[in-house]
Amino acid sequence: MLHPIPQDPLPRTDRLPDPYRAEPAVLAERRSALDGALDWPAVRASAEPWVHAVRENPPPFWAMERLLTEYPISSHEGLALMRLAEALLRVPDTETAIALTADQLGRADFEGASDAVIARLSSAAIALSKRWLPAEGEAPGLVARLGARSVVAATLRAVQLLGRQFVLGEDIEDALRRAEAGRRAHPTLRHSFDMLGEGARTEADAAHYLQSYRQALEAIARHADPMRHPSLNDGLSIKLSALHPRYEPAQHERVMRELVPRVWALCERAAQASLNLTIDAEEVERLELSLDVFEALAARVAREYPLWEGLGLALQAYQTRAVELIDEVAAIGRRHGVRLMCRLVKGAYWDSEIKRAQELGLPGYPVFTRKHRTDVSYLACARALLDADDVVFAQFATHNAGTIAAVLQMARQRGSTRFELQRLHGMGEGVYREVLRDVDVGCRVYAPVGAHRDLLAYLVRRLLENGANSSFVHQLADESVGMEALLESPMERCASEDGKPAFALPARLYGAQRPNSEGLDPAVAEHRERLFAAWRQVAVPRVPEASAGEASAAARRAAEAFDAWNHRPVAERAAVLRRAADAMQAQLPPLCALLVAEARKTWPDAIAEVREAIDFLRYYATEAERLLAPVELPGPTGERNTLRLHGRGAWVCISPWNFPLAIFTGQVAAALVTGNTVLAKPAEQTPAIAREAVRLLHAAGVPAEVLQLLHGPGETVGAALVAEPAVAGVVFTGSTPVAKAIQRALAAKDGPIVPLIAETGGVNAMLVDSSALPEQVVDAVVQSAFRSAGQRCSALRLLCVHESIADGVIEMVRGAAQALVVGDPADLATDVGPLIDAEAFDGVARHLARLRTTARALLPEGEDAATHTVAPQLFEIRHVAEASQEIFGPVLQVLRWRGDPKDVIAQVNALGYGLTLGLQTRIDSRALALAAQARAGNVYVNRNTIGAVVGVQPFGGEGLSGTGPKAGGPHYLPRFCAEQTLTINTTAAGGNVALFSA
């Protein structure tokens, strides 16, 4: 059975290199590009007077340099200020505001700050006794409550003052007025306004941001001279992710169809007024998509506004592909005969890029891993931009005096005047005050505009970017950092090292003990082609069913093979698992294709599942060698006591269809490596995947009689295996009713008491308080509730939102759910695939019919019996107790709560399930208190509730959600083992001779 893909849904392009190339090689290229390009002693000579002047006449306290010196983000005080700036202004209810303020100020000690700083921060907020701030869970009296309100009010004022320093205006007109005032002091100053806000989650969000951009352009145009070059007028910076809720590579066709016209409408107005319109840089995975959008716009500019030279793109120097990106932008300009603008920045998503590469198990990092390497890349990019000044107007955004001096030197060498410098509002003012005295060059201020409550994402990125100890901004105000260190040549520093990543590559995330499984990035064309090539060849073979008699015979063979396998050294059994893991890694694309074809997985879910199976094999191999090693126990002299673990016998492993490779492999690997033989009973819907896993394990060295696959209905094959007298244990993942049936069957058997490991479902909840950021909540909710079509044990079933923010959050969840694509899982654009079969579809349909009579439906119906698909569904309920049943599909129930969050957790506990719980709050002490109260195996704070990683988040529950121990954790393997203590009386052979040599 072949499954052809007509074409790659994302255009394949070779215009940019692999983003995960080895860092040393890329760095060598960047250094080579700068050979002979710079006279660094002259650079330093230019920059030193600027630094001296700034240190002698420092900027106001509120400038970033001073703020980071007083309160570095590595300190409790700096972190408290950042957290309060991020959250306090958006908290609508007093109780939560008090709790948040107490939580953050309770960790900080501002007593060492200077008097001037205290005055500016509002002494009332910091100096008031902390007795007015109740601890989490306390109920203060009236007097204390009034005191707490005063502290919160003062802190709010302090945070508003903080926000005002980094936001030019709360609306565009206010920003334009303040910009004009600044221009009176510096007539050549220009601005690029950035309308604050997170990316769009819904079409309504996108419409709101589009209108905001339109209004801003109209206002800027009224103050601009359409006869001047765009570089001489103010401009606007826009985020493409704000203009489309699905600005993702997998949605390429939709983005090009829907987003490009929206951006073009902005381009038209900017062209008419001769403004600079810059598309801001975003995450690495969106780079090719941004380029496609940018080229589509450039082509239309060439046709309709060929004289407009204001279309711009922001480029991030920390990307390993930055120079090649500049070459491609220049090529776009030349292909279409249009002049463009490019803003060169160092980059603001560094930590998230590192984390994504680690989580996906990618070959390397798409960004440089040390700050000075990014500085080298920036200079190489600057040279490339200046070399392309026939088609590109360069905009150099930096606060580093050495970088500024280097750029000016390279520009003078080329005689280039087609460039400008840029800085952020509220940052770099001191340096640019001095630079602009000496140099006749344009300077543009990147100026955020918006309400202070929208400051979050921007401010946190800026603080993280510039608050690091290695940052020039941080070091500038620290006079203990000498001039030589501050203005050190980044090229010389790179020359003194090998260029290797600053920390382990994703493959070595877990250290020397075990490799991390390697993944694929569907955003990269080469990776997609490996998947699609496998898809074109995939076939789902028919797996014959076993009879009850065959199950009985298999059990006898397993019992007979047990002794030989159990007595093989644990190191040999572990080596078998590692060979199987390596084989799975090599077969990742075909295994992914099989998961898509048989289990109806989407491609990202398929990749994650194969990686999880690999991780199980490697983790249990390592754990077995640790746990099964003999342990010498203390005792009296003349006696040696040794504790040893060994296998129990033949285990029945019954796995589910929702993770037919990962859970199947995890169960089997745990049993095998501890010395047991295995009778593997896969889910009826997914036997081909199980057969392929067994084939790989046999090829790795597991004898055929040690691991036997028995496919068939649970009522016959499964029941027969459980009832076999020779069975020494059962491990099961599936529904709670089936687990109870297995428990009863085992209890009814004569002979030994047989252990049962059961991981069952859950009514998994997420509690959201009013300090949480709604956009982050919605991302976590949509992923948790609707990914894998809700067919995960850990999927979110119940969302509990504080009443003060419930309307906005629920509306955003509705819009985000409606933006998801429901369809064929083989299509890369599909978010929600079908349910596994007609039985699963019918079960969910019955629940939906019930909910439509007992709860308020918030999304339109979307069931299709022919394809077994169910569009995401959302229902509002009134009480936690109404969500008493697990609904195994993309169905989310939501309720509003008020009062004490501990009461909500108590009601969730009362449901009896205990698998996963999500908490969304900025109040750290609250998160810890609620996690301690929860009866749940996995508690996730400020993230989604799915995707537990082997050895990182051991997975399993309690109560109706399972027996434990947690799979993928350090306590799992001992349940498969029997224990033996060996005591040898050494005195019987002459005593303990060690005593005589003591």
Side-chain angles (χ1 to χ4, degrees):
M1 179 181 178
L2 299 180
H3 303 267
I5 295 277
Q7 61 181 12
D8 185 345
L10 283 68
R12 177 162 188 149
T13 173
D14 297 321
R15 58 188 180 186
L16 293 179
D18 182 353
Y20 308 113
R21 292 177 297 165
E23 187 174 2
V26 180
L27 184 61
E29 291 176 10
R30 301 296 175 259
R31 291 175 56 205
S32 175
L34 290 170
D35 281 349
L38 282 167
D39 177 357
W40 197 260
V43 167
R44 180 174 163 179
S46 296
E48 277 188 5
W50 302 336
V51 174
H52 280 304
V54 172
R55 286 182 167 177
E56 291 171 2
N57 184 19
F61 161 71
W62 283 110
M64 179 67 75
E65 298 92 324
R66 295 285 306 283
L67 183 65
L68 290 173
T69 300
E70 294 285 355
Y71 302 120
I73 58 173
S74 57
S75 70
H76 290 305
E77 293 72 33
L79 190 59
L81 282 179
M82 185 174 74
R83 292 271 186 89
L84 289 169
E86 185 259 343
L88 187 58
L89 290 172
R90 69 166 182 270
V91 174
D93 62 296
T94 303
E95 297 303 321
T96 303
I98 290 173
L100 175 64
T101 307
D103 182 72
Q104 294 304 317
L105 293 186
R107 291 179 177 78
D109 179 9
F110 292 86
E111 293 178 4
S114 68
D115 291 341
V117 172
I118 285 290
R120 296 301 302 275
L121 273 175
S122 174
S123 58
I126 309 305
L128 278 175
S129 170
K130 291 176 183 176
R131 67 177 179 271
W132 298 119
L133 291 168
E136 174 66 15
E138 290 183 0
L142 177 61
V143 175
R145 185 181 299 277
L146 291 174
R149 288 174 183 270
S150 298
V151 175
V152 170
T155 308
L156 273 170
R157 178 59 181 155
V159 171
Q160 287 170 337
L161 287 172
L162 175 65
R164 183 170 174 77
Q165 311 314 309
F166 303 105
V167 177
L168 187 61
E170 292 209 47
D171 57 46
I172 189 63
E173 294 294 349
D174 183 26
L176 284 165
R177 282 192 295 272
R178 291 186 67 187
E180 189 58 38
R183 244 191 303 270
R184 285 195 287 271
H186 300 285
T188 61
L189 211 60
R190 282 90 73 176
H191 291 77
S192 184
F193 299 101
D194 170 33
M195 311 309 289
L196 285 176
E198 288 288 286
R201 268 62 177 182
T202 70
E203 282 294 345
D205 290 341
H208 166 76
Y209 288 124
L210 179 59
Q211 182 62 19
S212 174
Y213 288 148
R214 282 174 169 165
Q215 291 174 347
L217 279 174
E218 289 299 333
I220 299 167
R222 287 195 295 271
H223 293 74
D225 182 351
M227 303 305 295
R228 301 170 75 184
H229 190 269
S231 64
L232 301 177
N233 284 325
D234 289 336
L236 184 69
S237 294
I238 64 171
K239 293 185 286 290
L240 297 182
S241 58
L243 293 172
H244 199 284
R246 302 304 310 282
Y247 187 65
E248 304 163 20
Q251 305 298 324
H252 184 279
E253 181 181 350
R254 182 178 172 188
V255 165
M256 298 302 291
R257 183 179 66 252
E258 299 172 359
L259 173 64
V260 171
R262 298 174 191 176
V263 185
W264 176 249
L266 302 175
C267 290
E268 279 196 303
R269 188 66 188 100
Q272 292 161 3
S274 193
L275 306 179
N276 172 207
L277 183 75
T278 298
I279 295 173
D280 268 336
E282 304 202 46
E283 295 84 353
V284 168
E285 64 187 290
R286 292 168 164 167
L287 180 57
E288 283 87 351
L289 181 57
S290 293
L291 267 181
D292 288 343
V293 171
F294 186 72
E295 179 156 17
L297 296 170
R300 194 161 177 183
V301 167
R303 294 194 304 270
E304 301 187 29
Y305 294 95
L307 300 180
W308 178 50
E309 300 180 5
L311 178 62
L313 184 68
L315 315 171
Q316 297 162 316
Y318 69 14
Q319 287 199 32
T320 57
R321 300 182 291 176
V323 169
E324 292 84 358
L325 175 59
I326 291 169
D327 293 341
E328 179 56 26
V329 170
I332 288 172
R334 295 186 181 108
R335 274 197 298 271
H336 300 287
V338 60
R339 291 191 174 203
L340 304 165
M341 288 183 159
C342 285
R343 172 195 294 142
L344 182 63
V345 302
K346 292 188 178 175
Y349 301 96
W350 184 85
D351 54 338
S352 61
E353 299 290 7
I354 295 293
K355 183 177 181 180
R356 179 177 183 270
Q358 291 175 339
E359 288 180 334
L360 297 183
L362 299 176
Y365 297 113
V367 294
F368 292 101
T369 59
R370 291 193 184 277
K371 179 70 167 58
H372 56 275
R373 296 175 190 171
T374 292
D375 290 341
V376 169
S377 176
Y378 189 99
L379 294 173
C381 289
R383 182 175 188 178
L385 281 173
L386 291 169
D387 286 345
D389 69 352
D390 62 312
V391 70
V392 173
F393 182 92
Q395 300 166 304
F396 298 108
T398 178
H399 305 110
N400 186 315
T403 303
I404 295 170
V407 167
L408 293 175
Q409 184 186 102
M410 286 190 287
R412 283 194 296 268
Q413 291 170 352
R414 288 163 177 72
S416 176
T417 59
R418 284 182 51 79
F419 73 95
E420 69 182 20
L421 300 174
Q422 292 194 2
R423 67 170 177 85
L424 296 168
H425 173 65
M427 296 173 61
E429 294 181 38
V431 169
Y432 275 93
R433 177 191 67 205
E434 303 305 321
V435 170
L436 296 179
R437 284 176 180 169
D438 297 344
V439 181
D440 183 18
V441 64
C443 180
R444 188 177 301 271
V445 178
Y446 185 89
V449 179
H452 294 152
R453 64 177 177 272
D454 296 326
L455 183 61
L456 155 71
Y458 172 82
L459 179 59
V460 171
R461 283 201 301 270
R462 297 289 84 80
L463 286 170
L464 290 173
E465 179 184 3
N466 294 281
N469 292 338
S470 59
S471 162
F472 180 87
V473 170
H474 185 275
Q475 294 180 345
L476 176 62
D478 183 357
E479 297 197 10
S480 68
V481 179
M483 197 69 69
E484 183 176 346
L486 187 64
L487 296 175
E488 179 186 16
S489 165
M491 286 81 71
E492 290 180 8
R493 187 167 179 186
C494 287
S496 66
E497 60 183 22
D498 57 16
K500 292 181 180 178
F503 33 80
L505 289 171
R508 307 303 299 174
L509 180 61
Y510 306 120
Q513 289 188 331
R514 64 181 173 102
N516 185 16
S517 56
E518 299 169 22
L520 294 173
D521 184 357
V524 177
E526 180 186 353
H527 293 197
R528 291 195 303 276
E529 180 51 37
R530 291 175 60 190
L531 295 171
F532 295 154
W535 176 253
R536 286 187 285 268
Q537 300 299 318
V538 71
V540 181
R542 180 182 177 278
V543 179
E545 292 187 3
S547 65
E550 289 171 324
S552 181
R556 288 193 296 273
R557 288 194 297 272
E560 292 167 0
F562 167 68
D563 278 342
W565 179 251
N566 188 44
H567 282 93
R568 285 184 66 170
V570 65
E572 291 185 17
R573 299 195 300 261
V576 169
L577 263 59
R578 292 189 177 104
R579 287 195 294 271
D582 293 344
M584 263 189 201
Q585 186 69 73
Q587 291 296 307
L588 185 141
L591 287 170
C592 288
L594 187 55
L595 283 163
V596 174
E598 185 180 50
R600 313 300 285 151
K601 295 267 181 177
T602 61
W603 288 106
D605 284 348
I607 296 169
E609 179 159 0
V610 178
R611 294 189 60 224
E612 185 177 358
I614 295 166
D615 287 338
F616 270 130
L617 289 164
R618 290 173 174 164
Y619 178 75
Y620 287 149
T622 300
E623 281 293 288
E625 289 175 328
R626 178 179 69 86
L627 290 167
L628 272 66
V631 177
E632 296 295 328
L633 302 176
T637 186
E639 187 174 279
R640 186 167 71 248
N641 298 281
T642 307
L643 178 66
R644 302 185 297 193
L645 302 180
H646 60 82
R648 290 177 176 272
W651 275 72
V652 175
C653 297
I654 304 175
S655 55
W657 50 260
N658 64 331
F659 284 92
L661 180 64
I663 293 180
F664 178 90
T665 301
Q667 292 178 347
V668 168
L672 288 175
V673 80
T674 48
N676 300 285
T677 54
V678 173
L679 302 160
K681 212 298 280 185
E684 297 171 54
Q685 298 90 336
T686 52
I689 294 165
R691 190 176 80 164
E692 183 62 14
V694 169
R695 185 188 71 80
L696 291 173
L697 283 161
H698 284 163
V702 178
E705 64 277 9
V706 170
L707 170 60
Q708 301 175 72
L709 181 70
L710 294 123
H711 164 50
E715 298 84 355
T716 56
V717 175
L721 289 172
V722 170
E724 275 297 316
V727 166
V730 177
V731 55
F732 168 79
T733 300
S735 71
T736 303
V738 174
K740 298 285 284 186
I742 294 172
Q743 180 190 39
R744 287 190 292 268
L746 292 175
K749 286 172 42 172
D750 291 333
I753 298 173
V754 176
L756 168 65
I757 303 172
E759 191 263 285
T760 54
V763 177
N764 308 303
M766 179 184 290
L767 183 141
V768 181
D769 75 10
S770 61
S771 71
L773 179 67
E775 289 83 359
Q776 290 180 357
V777 170
V778 171
D779 290 346
V781 167
V782 170
Q783 293 166 12
S784 302
F786 305 130
R787 188 169 173 180
S788 307
Q791 298 173 114
R792 292 176 181 244
C793 298
S794 58
L796 179 63
R797 312 295 181 195
L798 174 63
L799 176 63
C800 307
V801 189
H802 191 270
E803 62 177 3
S804 64
I805 63 168
D807 286 344
V809 169
I810 291 171
E811 187 60 32
M812 202 181 296
V813 171
R814 288 181 62 199
Q818 288 179 302
L820 297 176
V821 177
V822 181
D824 183 351
D827 185 344
L828 197 61
T830 294
D831 301 297
V832 181
L835 302 188
I836 190 65
D837 59 16
E839 182 181 357
F841 177 86
D842 291 342
V844 171
R846 286 192 294 272
H847 281 292
L848 291 174
R850 172 181 57 82
L851 284 168
R852 287 175 182 137
T853 62
T854 62
R856 185 163 73 98
L858 301 176
L859 286 172
E861 297 182 17
E863 299 98 296
D864 185 342
T867 60
H868 301 155
T869 55
V870 176
Q873 297 293 297
L874 186 65
F875 293 90
E876 184 167 355
I877 61 177
R878 292 170 296 179
H879 305 288
V880 170
E882 295 177 44
S884 60
Q885 302 177 61
E886 181 183 42
I887 305 174
F888 217 66
V891 182
L892 178 63
Q893 298 166 82
V894 59
L895 65 81
R896 304 161 191 261
W897 66 272
R898 62 186 302 178
D900 192 337
K902 291 183 179 179
D903 294 340
V904 182
I905 299 300
Q907 294 171 50
V908 171
N909 286 343
L911 294 174
Y913 291 92
L915 195 54
T916 66
L917 173 72
L919 298 171
Q920 296 277 342
T921 178
R922 291 295 190 265
I923 304 172
D924 298 337
S925 55
R926 172 174 290 179
L928 294 175
L930 296 179
Q933 179 192 358
R935 295 185 179 276
N938 290 67
V939 179
Y940 300 97
V941 180
N942 295 330
R943 53 152 285 173
N944 63 36
T945 63
I946 60 173
V949 177
V950 174
V952 178
Q953 294 117 4
F955 187 75
E958 59 181 90
L960 295 174
S961 294
T963 63
K966 292 162 74 68
H971 306 302
Y972 193 63
L973 294 187
R975 187 66 67 87
F976 289 84
C977 299
E979 299 180 72
Q980 182 186 74
T981 302
L982 175 63
T983 298
I984 299 176
N985 180 11
T986 58
T987 60
N992 184 358
V993 296
L995 288 176
F996 299 103
S997 60

